[in-house]
Amino acid sequence: MTVRARRHRDEDTSRASIMSGKAYSVTSDSTGLGLGFRLRWRLAYMVTFVTGSASRQGTLDPSAQLRLDRARRLLAGYEAQGTEPPVALTRLVRGT
C-alpha cells in the first residue's frame, strides 16, 4: 500500500469516526510502535483494566493515561514516517 493510499484510508477512517461520534481507537493503530512497546503496553492496559478503579477522574484514571501516552507515541511515529496522522489522533493528543 502506498503512503498516499494509506493517508487517504486513515483520513477516511478518522472522518468516519468523527461523523459517527466514535472516539479514535489508539489500541488498533500501531504506526511507529515496536513490538516490545506494544506487548508491554497491552499487558499494562489489561492489568489496569482488571485491577483499576471503576470510577476515577480522567486525570487519575490509569487506563486513560496509558491511552494518552500511546497516542503521543503514535503521533511521534507518524511524524517520524513523514505521514499525516489521522485528525482524530491529533485532536486526542492536543485535547481539542
Side-chain angles (χ1 to χ4, degrees), residues 7 12 15 22 27-28 33-34 38 40-42 45-46 50 53-54 58 65-68 72-73 84 88 92 95:
R7 184 180 317 139
D12 292 341
R15 193 174 300 123
K22 294 181 181 178
T27 57
S28 62
L33 302 177
R38 291 191 317 243
R40 283 191 313 269
W41 186 89
R42 183 69 66 180
Y45 191 75
M46 287 189 297
V50 172
S53 176
Q65 292 299 317
L66 283 169
R67 286 190 303 270
L68 185 60
R72 288 181 181 139
R73 287 182 180 245
E84 189 71 25
L92 179 67

Side-chain angles (χ1 to χ4, degrees), residues 24-64:
Y24 176 75
S25 176
V26 296
T27 57
S28 62
D29 192 355
S30 62
T31 304
L33 302 177
L35 180 63
F37 174 79
R38 291 191 317 243
L39 289 174
R40 283 191 313 269
W41 186 89
R42 183 69 66 180
L43 181 63
Y45 191 75
M46 287 189 297
V47 168
T48 59
F49 181 78
V50 172
T51 63
S53 176
S55 59
R56 298 206 82 167
Q57 295 175 341
T59 57
L60 298 175
D61 184 14
S63 297

Side-chain angles (χ1 to χ4, degrees), residues 3-15:
V3 173
R4 182 176 176 198
R6 181 177 183 169
R7 184 180 317 139
H8 285 98
R9 185 194 69 195
D10 290 342
E11 288 172 359
D12 292 341
T13 304
S14 63
R15 193 174 300 123

